């Protein structure tokens, strides 16, 4: 059956995908956005009850690969999660800088936390460092001036990463205009393929959402994709299609404030990502 060229970035769906072999291309499974509980503002009791409700095992066809590449066993995963939660709780108790964000991270489900462990091959110290780096980036994006990238001051509303969810207006804006999308199926190495298509629509989005709000919405969507166990193991391949990039977009992207943002994002992909970057194609 002929697939459409791109699918909408209905990423929450992928947490419910089947356990077919990673080498076999599969169309993106669609589901309601309400299937993503980890990023919702739930009560502590609800968060605790949901902590183990989502399956975090990789598909049975990938169990051997998870062991060979990550050393993953159910015992190692359980022990590492317990250790990571313990270290987070200690930092919260000590009221270190940014402890409020660490508290929110501690309230997330195991599937949200295990991303950092799998990406670091269950090195809990590196996983904790990456997690804190992610939260630091979110704070940085939340604090970006409204005029970043040329947006009119006061034209955008403040956005908090923890408050974002798939049905949020800024996230839907990115989805509906296909500024970010997934390619149906997977790459030969099993990785999910994300398509980023910079165009003049980015300038409109930056003016409407703010550069910080737009970037937070994109990161929220990628977070949803990384909640799928197969993707946590096989990673994500990023494809940047510059064929529609305009001169206005390029000149805006070369502004000093935008270059600083690009540097921070590159740092995230290089050492603090909650997903395995399998490739970057331009």
């Amino acid at each position: 059956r002929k697939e459409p060229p791109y699918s909408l970035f209905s990423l929450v769906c992928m947490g419910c995908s089947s356990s077919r072999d990673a080498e076999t291309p599969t169309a993106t499974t669609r589901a309601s956005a309400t299937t993503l509980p980890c990023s919702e503002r739930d009560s502590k009791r609800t968060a605790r009850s949901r902590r183990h409700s989502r399956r975090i095992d990789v598909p049975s066809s990938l169990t051997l690969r998870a062991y060979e590449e990550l050393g993953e066993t159910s015992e190692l995963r359980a022990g590492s999660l317990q250790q990571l939660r313990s270290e987070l709780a200690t930092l919260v108790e000590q009221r270190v800088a940014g402890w409020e964000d660490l508290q929110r991270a501690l309230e997330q489900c195991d599937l949200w936390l295990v991303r950092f462990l799998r990406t670091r091959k269950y090195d809990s110290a590196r996983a904790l460092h990456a997690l804190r780096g992610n939260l630091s980036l979110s704070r940085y994006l939340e604090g970006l001036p409204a005029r970043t990238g040329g947006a009119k001051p006061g034209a955008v509303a403040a956005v908090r990463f923890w408050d974002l969810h798939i049905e949020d207006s800024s996230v839907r804006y990115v989805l509906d205009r296909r500024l970010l999308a997934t390619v149906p199926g997977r790459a030969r190495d099993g990785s999910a393929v994300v398509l980023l298509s910079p165009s003049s629509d980015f300038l409109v989005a930056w003016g409407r959402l703010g550069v910080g709000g737009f970037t937070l919405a994109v990161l929220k969507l990628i977070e949803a994709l990384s909640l799928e166990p197969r993707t946590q193991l096989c990673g994500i391949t990023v494809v940047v299609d510059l064929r529609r990039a305009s001169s206005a977009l390029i000149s805006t992207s070369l502004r000093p404030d935008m270059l600083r943002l690009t540097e921070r994002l590159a740092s995230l992909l290089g050492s603090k990502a909650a997903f395995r970057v399998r490739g970057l194609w331009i």
Side-chain angles (χ1 to χ4, degrees):
R1 184 171 62 87
K2 185 177 181 181
E3 297 284 359
Y6 309 121
S7 64
L8 282 178
F9 210 85
S10 304
L11 299 180
V12 279
C13 49
M14 301 194 72
C16 306
S17 61
S18 64
S19 58
R20 286 174 287 186
D21 188 84
E23 300 298 325
T24 303
T26 59
T28 303
T29 308
R30 297 183 182 276
S32 168
T34 57
T35 59
L36 179 63
C38 301
S39 302
E40 302 280 354
R41 183 182 291 276
D42 297 320
S43 65
K44 290 185 178 181
R45 177 179 298 178
T46 303
R48 284 195 296 269
S49 67
R50 288 178 173 178
R51 182 170 296 168
H52 301 285
S53 63
R54 300 192 69 189
R55 184 177 181 85
I56 64 175
D57 293 330
V58 298
S60 57
S61 59
L62 297 175
T63 302
L64 178 60
R65 179 174 174 179
Y67 177 75
E68 292 176 342
E69 294 187 11
L70 311 179
E72 178 176 314
T73 63
S74 58
E75 294 80 9
L76 175 64
R77 183 174 62 236
S80 298
L81 279 167
Q82 182 177 5
Q83 182 177 354
L84 181 57
R85 288 190 177 279
S86 176
E87 292 173 349
L88 283 171
T90 298
L91 293 174
V92 171
E93 184 178 355
Q94 294 173 350
R95 293 297 193 268
V96 300
W99 69 269
E100 298 94 340
D101 284 331
L102 297 177
Q103 176 64 49
R104 293 296 299 272
L106 188 60
E107 295 170 1
Q108 304 307 304
C109 62
D110 283 349
L111 188 58
W112 191 90
L113 283 174
V114 79
R115 302 174 303 147
F116 296 95
L117 290 166
R118 280 178 166 146
T119 307
R120 271 81 198 170
K121 298 185 178 181
Y122 287 94
D123 185 325
S124 59
R126 293 177 59 218
L128 180 59
H129 176 74
L131 190 156
R132 298 185 72 177
N134 260 259
L135 298 179
S136 176
L137 176 65
S138 297
R139 285 291 191 182
Y140 169 76
L141 293 172
E142 292 168 2
L144 279 179
R147 63 177 58 89
T148 302
K152 295 181 179 179
V156 297
V159 178
R160 292 294 306 275
F161 180 78
W162 288 118
D163 297 334
L164 282 177
H165 52 85
I166 297 300
E167 288 301 319
D168 187 87
S169 59
S170 62
V171 179
R172 296 308 311 178
Y173 184 90
V174 173
L175 285 175
D176 293 343
R177 285 154 184 80
R178 294 178 176 265
L179 304 180
L180 193 69
T182 52
V183 176
R186 290 178 176 266
R188 289 186 178 275
D189 61 6
S191 60
V193 181
V194 174
L195 176 68
L196 187 66
S197 303
S199 67
S200 296
D201 292 338
F202 271 47
L203 296 175
V204 178
W206 292 343
R208 179 185 178 94
L209 307 175
V211 173
F214 171 81
T215 308
L216 284 169
V218 169
L219 292 178
K220 179 60 66 172
L221 290 169
I222 294 178
E223 174 192 90
L225 176 60
S226 70
L227 289 174
E228 204 274 323
R230 182 197 301 271
T231 301
Q232 292 176 4
L233 171 63
C234 300
I236 297 175
T237 295
V238 181
V239 179
V240 182
D241 184 357
L242 295 175
R243 290 176 295 178
R244 295 177 57 207
S246 63
S247 57
L249 175 65
I250 295 173
S251 61
T252 300
S253 300
L254 294 177
R255 289 166 52 110
D257 53 356
M258 296 296 290
L259 290 176
R260 286 193 293 270
L261 172 59
T262 301
E263 184 179 2
R264 295 294 292 266
L265 292 175
S267 174
L268 171 70
L269 292 176
S271 60
K272 303 179 182 67
F275 53 88
R276 308 177 78 185
V277 182
R278 286 295 188 181
L280 175 62
W281 294 84
I282 300 177

